[in-house]
Amino acid sequence: MSTLLIQQAKRLFARTCLYGSMHWRLPATLGVPALAMAATPTWAANANSTTTTTQTQSEQEAKPQWYTGSLVSPSGAMTKKGMIAWEPYMTYSQPVGQFNSNGVSQPMHPRQKAVSNFTLYKYAITDAISIQLTPVIEYRWKKGDNTSSGLKFGDLPVDLMWRYVDADPKRYIPALSVFAGMAMPTGDYNRLGRVQDGVGAGTYTFRLALTEQSTYTLPGQHELRLRVWSTFRRAVTTAHLHDVTSYGTSAGFKGRAQPGMYGESGFSLEFGINQKWVLALDLARDWSNGSHLRGTTATGKKVDTIAQSSGDWQIAPAIEYNWSPRFGVIAGVSTYFAGHNTGLDVSPQVAFNSVF
């Protein structure tokens, strides 16, 4: 597949494990599960009826921290049956270069830009199990090209998420979640007018992720939330190819292809400035094995190749603003600052977050 398609798929895979419905948390505790409803602050729970009138000013001002979730980190299953999360997301991809096989950055021309919209829909089937899907629409173009790819509907991921360990602050146990699902081959990948028109892999792809979340109280009643995650993706079918495809084939080609396995591991930090404002930072490592391409060209030449593997490091600073426990917005930018056999781009992003 093209470098842009691989990177887009990796980003989407991460985010769709991921996209963080609004998160309430237990103040001053460790290991709070995603979407845990705010509970009585620790100081209030420890106070008895005879001392509540002598609470200190800091105790009176203690408030539960509100989060939207960072740009890249996965969130776990929601915690209350019947809850619904809705998050429309917009991202702009601006290529600025490419990392070669030795990890050296080189200029890239022409540069294929893209605007993507994907909206997360998540529903809590039980207090520990949720289902989510994330339809994607993309628009791509190149500088100097009089035409574009037009609006394209990408592959459709559908996932089940299970929080199998609830947070236990007293025992310092964080919330642990797992998700498994499948990406449906709904995006164009075959018989394209141009390679840039491809937005799909043409395969059913198994998706798996493990996530951890814990929260700490820092001096000054500032909250710091840590997430650690690892994701994995593997195609379980092959794509039947004809002519120009997402895999870089040309007119007259006939054959099959299977994307290589790929995944991501990383961690995020979210620092609460106050109840509404949060600074977020993600650091993640992506890896991808090369796609296996087999078939014949228009001239009858046999092709049986495996593309080179690729990898990258990305960082994504952002700022969150939440005007209530259920509604918020996050804006930031992600960029790849190291890697090999992959594109180097900068992606400003914004998302509106809501839970009902």
Side-chain angles (χ1 to χ4, degrees):
M1 290 186 290
S2 68
T3 299
L4 178 61
L5 181 59
I6 292 173
Q7 287 188 319
Q8 186 274 339
K10 287 190 289 188
R11 286 194 295 262
L12 177 62
F13 174 65
R15 290 166 184 153
T16 55
C17 352
L18 7 138
Y19 270 121
S21 325
M22 187 70 65
H23 305 287
W24 295 272
R25 58 169 306 281
L26 304 177
T29 60
L30 170 68
V32 182
L35 290 169
M37 295 299 293
T40 304
T42 302
W43 60 264
N46 294 334
N48 58 46
S49 58
T50 62
T51 61
T52 54
T53 58
T54 61
Q55 295 166 352
T56 66
Q57 181 177 1
S58 62
E59 288 175 336
Q60 292 173 344
E61 294 175 351
K63 297 179 181 179
Q65 183 66 55
W66 297 338
Y67 295 100
T68 67
S70 64
L71 288 178
V72 182
S73 65
S75 67
M78 295 188 288
T79 60
K80 186 176 181 181
K81 179 180 178 180
M83 294 184 72
I84 298 174
W86 176 71
E87 183 176 15
Y89 203 97
M90 291 293 298
T91 179
Y92 167 73
S93 178
Q94 170 64 62
V96 295
Q98 187 166 0
F99 293 111
N100 64 19
S101 58
N102 296 320
V104 178
S105 176
Q106 299 175 331
M108 180 175 60
H109 299 284
R111 298 175 178 178
Q112 181 170 285
K113 305 174 184 179
V115 174
S116 302
N117 167 259
F118 49 93
T119 302
L120 177 143
Y121 300 91
K122 183 188 287 188
Y123 175 74
I125 301 173
T126 71
D127 292 346
I129 298 175
S130 300
I131 186 172
Q132 72 174 15
L133 57 87
T134 312
V136 184
I137 299 175
E138 274 200 309
Y139 180 86
R140 298 179 180 179
W141 72 97
K142 287 184 179 180
K143 184 178 181 180
D145 195 337
N146 294 327
T147 59
S148 69
S149 64
L151 290 176
K152 294 284 187 176
F153 187 84
D155 290 345
L156 178 64
V158 180
D159 305 301
L160 279 175
M161 314 179 76
W162 173 40
R163 190 180 58 263
Y164 59 94
V165 174
D166 285 318
D168 187 340
K170 294 181 180 180
R171 298 171 60 190
Y172 299 98
I173 296 176
L176 301 176
S177 295
V178 61
F179 96 79
M182 194 75 69
M184 312 301 174
T186 53
D188 285 347
Y189 76 97
N190 204 27
R191 292 191 171 98
L192 305 172
R194 298 163 303 167
V195 173
Q196 96 178 61
D197 294 342
V199 294
T203 62
Y204 286 89
T205 304
F206 174 71
R207 300 152 52 82
L208 179 70
L210 299 172
T211 69
E212 178 274 348
Q213 179 175 292
S214 52
T215 308
Y216 306 87
T217 300
L218 303 180
Q221 293 300 313
H222 295 288
E223 302 299 330
L224 180 68
R225 186 166 72 174
L226 167 68
R227 284 178 174 176
V228 180
W229 75 91
S230 185
T231 63
F232 170 80
R233 183 171 188 167
R234 183 187 179 111
V236 296
T237 61
T238 57
H240 295 265
L241 308 182
H242 298 274
D243 301 321
V244 179
T245 70
S246 297
Y247 295 83
T249 60
S250 56
F253 183 88
K254 292 183 180 180
R256 295 186 177 188
Q258 186 171 41
M261 295 183 294
Y262 64 90
E264 181 182 80
S265 297
F267 73 90
S268 71
L269 295 172
E270 293 174 273
F271 174 78
I273 301 173
N274 54 39
Q275 186 181 42
K276 295 184 176 182
W277 289 95
V278 177
L279 295 177
L281 180 70
D282 295 280
L283 181 65
R285 164 68 175 172
D286 297 306
W287 60 269
S288 176
N289 294 338
S291 299
H292 190 183
L293 179 66
R294 292 166 290 181
T296 56
T297 66
T299 60
K301 180 181 178 180
K302 290 188 178 296
V303 175
D304 190 347
T305 61
I306 298 178
Q308 291 182 308
S309 63
S310 64
D312 59 66
W313 287 90
Q314 67 168 309
I315 189 169
I319 187 165
E320 308 171 19
Y321 177 75
N322 308 282
W323 53 88
S324 80
R326 295 180 180 269
F327 300 100
V329 64
I330 182 171
V333 61
S334 68
T335 185
Y336 299 95
F337 62 89
H340 67 279
N341 296 325
T342 191
L344 171 61
D345 63 12
V346 176
S347 299
Q349 304 161 45
V350 63
F352 170 74
N353 206 357
S354 59
V355 176
F356 304 95

Tab-separated table of all heavy atoms in Angstrom, residues 1 189-192 195 238-258 291-306:
chain	number	residue	atom	x	y	z
A	1	MET	N	0.839	-1.182	0.000
A	1	MET	CA	0.000	0.000	0.000
A	1	MET	C	0.881	1.240	0.000
A	1	MET	O	2.029	1.198	0.379
A	1	MET	CB	-0.909	0.022	1.228
A	1	MET	CG	-2.000	-1.023	1.217
A	1	MET	SD	-3.126	-0.814	2.609
A	1	MET	CE	-2.086	-1.288	3.957
A	189	TYR	N	-10.178	0.565	-3.167
A	189	TYR	CA	-8.786	0.132	-3.247
A	189	TYR	C	-8.447	-0.450	-4.621
A	189	TYR	O	-7.269	-0.611	-4.964
A	189	TYR	CB	-8.501	-0.933	-2.185
A	189	TYR	CG	-9.063	-2.298	-2.535
A	189	TYR	CD1	-8.259	-3.269	-3.135
A	189	TYR	CD2	-10.400	-2.613	-2.297
A	189	TYR	CE1	-8.769	-4.513	-3.472
A	189	TYR	CE2	-10.920	-3.832	-2.619
A	189	TYR	CZ	-10.113	-4.795	-3.212
A	189	TYR	OH	-10.625	-6.014	-3.558
A	190	ASN	N	-9.443	-0.737	-5.446
A	190	ASN	CA	-9.275	-1.519	-6.667
A	190	ASN	C	-9.844	-0.772	-7.873
A	190	ASN	O	-10.793	-0.006	-7.748
A	190	ASN	CB	-10.001	-2.865	-6.495
A	190	ASN	CG	-9.447	-3.939	-7.379
A	190	ASN	OD1	-8.277	-3.911	-7.764
A	190	ASN	ND2	-10.277	-4.904	-7.720
A	191	ARG	N	-9.198	-0.985	-9.048
A	191	ARG	CA	-9.645	-0.345	-10.296
A	191	ARG	C	-9.816	1.161	-10.104
A	191	ARG	O	-10.862	1.741	-10.390
A	191	ARG	CB	-10.945	-0.971	-10.798
A	191	ARG	CG	-10.789	-2.417	-11.280
A	191	ARG	CD	-12.042	-2.876	-12.019
A	191	ARG	NE	-11.847	-4.161	-12.664
A	191	ARG	CZ	-12.240	-5.339	-12.143
A	191	ARG	NH1	-12.841	-5.361	-10.961
A	191	ARG	NH2	-12.038	-6.460	-12.809
A	192	LEU	N	-8.766	1.770	-9.625
A	192	LEU	CA	-8.786	3.205	-9.333
A	192	LEU	C	-8.373	4.014	-10.552
A	192	LEU	O	-7.681	3.527	-11.444
A	192	LEU	CB	-7.830	3.513	-8.178
A	192	LEU	CG	-8.048	2.736	-6.872
A	192	LEU	CD1	-6.905	3.026	-5.905
A	192	LEU	CD2	-9.392	3.080	-6.249
A	195	VAL	N	-3.560	6.049	-8.069
A	195	VAL	CA	-3.229	5.432	-6.785
A	195	VAL	C	-3.724	6.291	-5.631
A	195	VAL	O	-4.173	5.779	-4.605
A	195	VAL	CB	-1.703	5.207	-6.676
A	195	VAL	CG1	-1.329	4.733	-5.276
A	195	VAL	CG2	-1.242	4.197	-7.711
A	238	THR	N	-7.162	-11.868	1.791
A	238	THR	CA	-6.322	-11.196	0.803
A	238	THR	C	-7.189	-10.314	-0.086
A	238	THR	O	-8.386	-10.557	-0.258
A	238	THR	CB	-5.577	-12.211	-0.073
A	238	THR	OG1	-6.529	-13.069	-0.714
A	238	THR	CG2	-4.627	-13.046	0.766
A	239	ALA	N	-6.564	-9.296	-0.656
A	239	ALA	CA	-7.265	-8.379	-1.559
A	239	ALA	C	-7.045	-8.823	-3.002
A	239	ALA	O	-5.916	-9.090	-3.413
A	239	ALA	CB	-6.741	-6.965	-1.364
A	240	HIS	N	-8.119	-8.937	-3.769
A	240	HIS	CA	-8.030	-9.256	-5.189
A	240	HIS	C	-7.811	-7.955	-5.957
A	240	HIS	O	-8.619	-7.024	-5.857
A	240	HIS	CB	-9.303	-9.960	-5.657
A	240	HIS	CG	-9.504	-11.302	-5.016
A	240	HIS	ND1	-9.106	-12.480	-5.610
A	240	HIS	CD2	-10.049	-11.638	-3.823
A	240	HIS	CE1	-9.396	-13.495	-4.819
A	240	HIS	NE2	-9.980	-13.010	-3.720
A	241	LEU	N	-6.742	-7.909	-6.732
A	241	LEU	CA	-6.323	-6.667	-7.374
A	241	LEU	C	-6.510	-6.700	-8.883
A	241	LEU	O	-6.224	-7.715	-9.530
A	241	LEU	CB	-4.851	-6.386	-7.059
A	241	LEU	CG	-4.434	-6.408	-5.583
A	241	LEU	CD1	-2.960	-6.058	-5.461
A	241	LEU	CD2	-5.293	-5.467	-4.760
A	242	HIS	N	-6.973	-5.577	-9.412
A	242	HIS	CA	-7.100	-5.378	-10.849
A	242	HIS	C	-6.700	-3.939	-11.174
A	242	HIS	O	-7.224	-2.996	-10.586
A	242	HIS	CB	-8.533	-5.634	-11.336
A	242	HIS	CG	-8.999	-7.041	-11.117
A	242	HIS	ND1	-8.755	-8.055	-12.007
A	242	HIS	CD2	-9.701	-7.588	-10.090
A	242	HIS	CE1	-9.287	-9.188	-11.549
A	242	HIS	NE2	-9.862	-8.924	-10.384
A	243	ASP	N	-5.759	-3.798	-12.089
A	243	ASP	CA	-5.341	-2.482	-12.587
A	243	ASP	C	-4.715	-1.635	-11.469
A	243	ASP	O	-3.982	-2.132	-10.631
A	243	ASP	CB	-6.520	-1.776	-13.250
A	243	ASP	CG	-7.099	-2.572	-14.414
A	243	ASP	OD1	-6.294	-3.168	-15.163
A	243	ASP	OD2	-8.327	-2.607	-14.560
A	244	VAL	N	-5.042	-0.330	-11.449
A	244	VAL	CA	-4.460	0.589	-10.461
A	244	VAL	C	-5.118	0.356	-9.101
A	244	VAL	O	-6.352	0.356	-8.988
A	244	VAL	CB	-4.660	2.055	-10.895
A	244	VAL	CG1	-4.072	3.005	-9.857
A	244	VAL	CG2	-4.025	2.288	-12.255
A	245	THR	N	-4.295	0.162	-8.066
A	245	THR	CA	-4.818	-0.156	-6.730
A	245	THR	C	-4.077	0.625	-5.654
A	245	THR	O	-3.086	1.307	-5.914
A	245	THR	CB	-4.677	-1.666	-6.421
A	245	THR	OG1	-3.279	-1.964	-6.257
A	245	THR	CG2	-5.260	-2.510	-7.539
A	246	SER	N	-4.553	0.472	-4.425
A	246	SER	CA	-3.897	1.100	-3.272
A	246	SER	C	-2.494	0.571	-3.049
A	246	SER	O	-1.705	1.181	-2.320
A	246	SER	CB	-4.718	0.845	-2.004
A	246	SER	OG	-5.994	1.420	-2.079
A	247	TYR	N	-2.165	-0.565	-3.642
A	247	TYR	CA	-0.873	-1.197	-3.435
A	247	TYR	C	0.170	-0.750	-4.454
A	247	TYR	O	1.248	-1.341	-4.551
A	247	TYR	CB	-1.043	-2.719	-3.466
A	247	TYR	CG	-1.888	-3.232	-2.328
A	247	TYR	CD1	-3.281	-3.221	-2.414
A	247	TYR	CD2	-1.313	-3.687	-1.150
A	247	TYR	CE1	-4.074	-3.669	-1.367
A	247	TYR	CE2	-2.095	-4.141	-0.097
A	247	TYR	CZ	-3.473	-4.120	-0.208
A	247	TYR	OH	-4.246	-4.556	0.842
A	248	GLY	N	-0.164	0.277	-5.246
A	248	GLY	CA	0.807	0.838	-6.171
A	248	GLY	C	0.912	0.132	-7.507
A	248	GLY	O	1.857	0.373	-8.262
A	249	THR	N	-0.034	-0.734	-7.831
A	249	THR	CA	-0.001	-1.426	-9.119
A	249	THR	C	-0.499	-0.503	-10.227
A	249	THR	O	-1.130	0.530	-9.970
A	249	THR	CB	-0.855	-2.699	-9.075
A	249	THR	OG1	-2.214	-2.334	-8.770
A	249	THR	CG2	-0.343	-3.652	-7.997
A	250	SER	N	-0.246	-0.890	-11.454
A	250	SER	CA	-0.611	-0.069	-12.604
A	250	SER	C	-1.660	-0.767	-13.459
A	250	SER	O	-2.046	-1.923	-13.198
A	250	SER	CB	0.631	0.240	-13.454
A	250	SER	OG	1.268	-0.966	-13.857
A	251	ALA	N	-2.122	-0.086	-14.518
A	251	ALA	CA	-3.151	-0.629	-15.405
A	251	ALA	C	-2.710	-1.967	-15.991
A	251	ALA	O	-1.555	-2.146	-16.375
A	251	ALA	CB	-3.449	0.367	-16.518
A	252	GLY	N	-3.632	-2.923	-16.030
A	252	GLY	CA	-3.349	-4.246	-16.578
A	252	GLY	C	-2.874	-5.254	-15.557
A	252	GLY	O	-2.748	-6.444	-15.867
A	253	PHE	N	-2.629	-4.824	-14.323
A	253	PHE	CA	-2.170	-5.755	-13.291
A	253	PHE	C	-3.327	-6.613	-12.793
A	253	PHE	O	-4.452	-6.149	-12.620
A	253	PHE	CB	-1.554	-4.995	-12.117
A	253	PHE	CG	-1.004	-5.904	-11.046
A	253	PHE	CD1	0.292	-6.364	-11.120
A	253	PHE	CD2	-1.791	-6.294	-9.967
A	253	PHE	CE1	0.816	-7.207	-10.134
A	253	PHE	CE2	-1.292	-7.135	-8.986
A	253	PHE	CZ	0.017	-7.598	-9.073
A	254	LYS	N	-3.028	-7.901	-12.547
A	254	LYS	CA	-3.984	-8.810	-11.934
A	254	LYS	C	-3.261	-9.633	-10.880
A	254	LYS	O	-2.158	-10.150	-11.135
A	254	LYS	CB	-4.598	-9.750	-12.968
A	254	LYS	CG	-5.510	-9.060	-13.976
A	254	LYS	CD	-6.136	-10.072	-14.932
A	254	LYS	CE	-7.057	-9.373	-15.929
A	254	LYS	NZ	-7.676	-10.339	-16.879
A	255	GLY	N	-3.844	-9.730	-9.715
A	255	GLY	CA	-3.195	-10.509	-8.667
A	255	GLY	C	-3.849	-10.353	-7.320
A	255	GLY	O	-5.039	-10.010	-7.225
A	256	ARG	N	-3.071	-10.588	-6.285
A	256	ARG	CA	-3.561	-10.497	-4.909
A	256	ARG	C	-2.529	-9.793	-4.039
A	256	ARG	O	-1.350	-9.739	-4.384
A	256	ARG	CB	-3.829	-11.896	-4.334
A	256	ARG	CG	-4.956	-12.650	-5.024
A	256	ARG	CD	-5.239	-13.937	-4.302
A	256	ARG	NE	-6.354	-14.670	-4.890
A	256	ARG	CZ	-6.905	-15.761	-4.360
A	256	ARG	NH1	-6.418	-16.242	-3.220
A	256	ARG	NH2	-7.921	-16.353	-4.953
A	257	ALA	N	-3.003	-9.302	-2.909
A	257	ALA	CA	-2.103	-8.666	-1.950
A	257	ALA	C	-2.639	-8.850	-0.547
A	257	ALA	O	-3.855	-8.994	-0.337
A	257	ALA	CB	-1.948	-7.177	-2.259
A	258	GLN	N	-1.727	-8.873	0.404
A	258	GLN	CA	-2.103	-8.921	1.816
A	258	GLN	C	-1.235	-7.930	2.579
A	258	GLN	O	-0.001	-7.994	2.526
A	258	GLN	CB	-1.914	-10.317	2.405
A	258	GLN	CG	-2.440	-10.427	3.837
A	258	GLN	CD	-2.439	-11.855	4.328
A	258	GLN	OE1	-1.513	-12.602	4.074
A	258	GLN	NE2	-3.488	-12.240	5.045
A	291	SER	N	3.746	-5.188	2.811
A	291	SER	CA	2.654	-5.912	2.149
A	291	SER	C	3.219	-6.944	1.178
A	291	SER	O	4.247	-6.712	0.523
A	291	SER	CB	1.755	-4.933	1.393
A	291	SER	OG	1.182	-3.994	2.275
A	292	HIS	N	2.532	-8.076	1.059
A	292	HIS	CA	2.929	-9.143	0.127
A	292	HIS	C	2.079	-9.023	-1.143
A	292	HIS	O	0.859	-9.124	-1.086
A	292	HIS	CB	2.722	-10.509	0.770
A	292	HIS	CG	3.322	-11.626	-0.015
A	292	HIS	ND1	3.204	-12.954	0.350
A	292	HIS	CD2	4.040	-11.626	-1.183
A	292	HIS	CE1	3.830	-13.714	-0.531
A	292	HIS	NE2	4.337	-12.928	-1.476
A	293	LEU	N	2.732	-8.779	-2.257
A	293	LEU	CA	2.062	-8.558	-3.533
A	293	LEU	C	2.419	-9.668	-4.505
A	293	LEU	O	3.591	-9.969	-4.725
A	293	LEU	CB	2.483	-7.196	-4.109
A	293	LEU	CG	1.899	-6.782	-5.463
A	293	LEU	CD1	0.386	-6.561	-5.340
A	293	LEU	CD2	2.579	-5.513	-5.969
A	294	ARG	N	1.380	-10.285	-5.124
A	294	ARG	CA	1.583	-11.357	-6.103
A	294	ARG	C	0.657	-11.130	-7.282
A	294	ARG	O	-0.496	-10.733	-7.105
A	294	ARG	CB	1.293	-12.723	-5.481
A	294	ARG	CG	2.276	-13.160	-4.413
A	294	ARG	CD	1.740	-14.334	-3.625
A	294	ARG	NE	0.610	-13.925	-2.784
A	294	ARG	CZ	-0.053	-14.740	-1.973
A	294	ARG	NH1	0.289	-16.011	-1.912
A	294	ARG	NH2	-1.053	-14.298	-1.243
A	295	GLY	N	1.152	-11.425	-8.499
A	295	GLY	CA	0.309	-11.292	-9.681
A	295	GLY	C	1.132	-11.131	-10.940
A	295	GLY	O	2.331	-11.433	-10.975
A	296	THR	N	0.477	-10.630	-11.982
A	296	THR	CA	1.141	-10.401	-13.268
A	296	THR	C	0.811	-9.002	-13.767
A	296	THR	O	-0.290	-8.493	-13.555
A	296	THR	CB	0.685	-11.427	-14.318
A	296	THR	OG1	-0.746	-11.380	-14.446
A	296	THR	CG2	1.105	-12.830	-13.917
A	297	THR	N	1.784	-8.395	-14.426
A	297	THR	CA	1.596	-7.064	-14.984
A	297	THR	C	0.936	-7.147	-16.348
A	297	THR	O	0.659	-8.241	-16.867
A	297	THR	CB	2.948	-6.348	-15.118
A	297	THR	OG1	3.742	-7.046	-16.094
A	297	THR	CG2	3.683	-6.325	-13.780
A	298	ALA	N	0.690	-5.996	-16.968
A	298	ALA	CA	0.048	-5.953	-18.287
A	298	ALA	C	0.903	-6.636	-19.348
A	298	ALA	O	0.380	-7.135	-20.351
A	298	ALA	CB	-0.221	-4.501	-18.677
A	299	THR	N	2.205	-6.695	-19.136
A	299	THR	CA	3.108	-7.328	-20.104
A	299	THR	C	3.317	-8.807	-19.819
A	299	THR	O	4.109	-9.471	-20.499
A	299	THR	CB	4.467	-6.621	-20.091
A	299	THR	OG1	5.037	-6.718	-18.775
A	299	THR	CG2	4.308	-5.149	-20.467
A	300	GLY	N	2.650	-9.346	-18.811
A	300	GLY	CA	2.782	-10.754	-18.471
A	300	GLY	C	3.895	-11.068	-17.486
A	300	GLY	O	4.138	-12.232	-17.166
A	301	LYS	N	4.577	-10.060	-16.981
A	301	LYS	CA	5.660	-10.270	-16.022
A	301	LYS	C	5.085	-10.658	-14.665
A	301	LYS	O	4.170	-10.025	-14.154
A	301	LYS	CB	6.489	-9.000	-15.875
A	301	LYS	CG	7.642	-9.141	-14.890
A	301	LYS	CD	8.409	-7.833	-14.759
A	301	LYS	CE	9.522	-7.960	-13.729
A	301	LYS	NZ	10.269	-6.678	-13.589
A	302	LYS	N	5.646	-11.729	-14.089
A	302	LYS	CA	5.181	-12.188	-12.781
A	302	LYS	C	5.773	-11.331	-11.671
A	302	LYS	O	6.950	-10.952	-11.721
A	302	LYS	CB	5.536	-13.659	-12.570
A	302	LYS	CG	4.736	-14.613	-13.451
A	302	LYS	CD	4.991	-16.039	-13.055
A	302	LYS	CE	4.147	-16.993	-13.900
A	302	LYS	NZ	2.692	-16.777	-13.657
A	303	VAL	N	4.959	-11.059	-10.689
A	303	VAL	CA	5.378	-10.253	-9.538
A	303	VAL	C	5.108	-11.043	-8.261
A	303	VAL	O	4.013	-11.574	-8.066
A	303	VAL	CB	4.618	-8.916	-9.488
A	303	VAL	CG1	4.979	-8.141	-8.230
A	303	VAL	CG2	4.893	-8.092	-10.728
A	304	ASP	N	6.109	-11.143	-7.408
A	304	ASP	CA	5.965	-11.775	-6.091
A	304	ASP	C	6.940	-11.076	-5.150
A	304	ASP	O	8.094	-11.486	-5.005
A	304	ASP	CB	6.260	-13.268	-6.162
A	304	ASP	CG	5.876	-13.996	-4.870
A	304	ASP	OD1	5.619	-13.313	-3.851
A	304	ASP	OD2	5.843	-15.239	-4.860
A	305	THR	N	6.480	-10.006	-4.517
A	305	THR	CA	7.361	-9.179	-3.705
A	305	THR	C	6.750	-8.892	-2.335
A	305	THR	O	5.529	-8.920	-2.169
A	305	THR	CB	7.650	-7.825	-4.393
A	305	THR	OG1	6.407	-7.122	-4.570
A	305	THR	CG2	8.310	-8.038	-5.749
A	306	ILE	N	7.631	-8.632	-1.394
A	306	ILE	CA	7.223	-8.183	-0.057
A	306	ILE	C	7.868	-6.820	0.167
A	306	ILE	O	9.097	-6.688	0.094
A	306	ILE	CB	7.655	-9.170	1.035
A	306	ILE	CG1	6.970	-10.523	0.815
A	306	ILE	CG2	7.284	-8.614	2.418
A	306	ILE	CD1	7.385	-11.583	1.821
